[in-house]
Amino acid sequence: MTCRKNVNSLTTEEKAALISAIKLMKAELYEYVDDENDAAHVRALYPLINNTYDKYVLDHYMVANWATPGGLGLG
């Protein structure tokens, strides 16, 4: 199963589209809405994020480190 195309094999048009999408995400503002039900690490880190791209990166970091067996949150 192929999950995604390797960035090294993108065409010129695909590279331009990827760069454009990343720039749009970096330009889009993100504002964290405090929720007392969120875990402490979420409440500590998400208010520091100010654009959609950084939220996307942090979401993936959180999943890899807190929501997987052996990750930082589950031991």
Side-chain angles (χ1 to χ4, degrees):
M1 173 176 82
T2 302
C3 294
R4 63 173 175 82
K5 193 171 186 178
N6 187 316
V7 72
N8 293 322
S9 64
L10 295 177
T11 65
T12 302
E13 294 81 18
E14 290 170 328
K15 286 178 186 177
L18 176 63
I19 291 168
S20 177
I22 291 171
K23 286 181 177 180
L24 285 171
M25 289 176 72
K26 287 187 175 193
E28 185 176 271
L29 295 179
Y30 168 77
E31 185 176 338
Y32 174 71
V33 178
D34 192 34
D35 183 345
E36 63 186 39
N37 295 316
D38 283 343
H41 62 271
V42 170
R43 295 182 81 192
L45 295 174
Y46 278 78
L48 304 175
I49 301 299
N50 60 15
N51 66 59
T52 303
Y53 177 81
D54 289 342
K55 182 188 179 297
Y56 177 81
V57 171
L58 185 57
D59 285 344
H60 285 82
Y61 173 80
M62 292 292 195
V63 168
N65 289 293
W66 273 274
T68 57
L72 300 175
L74 299 177

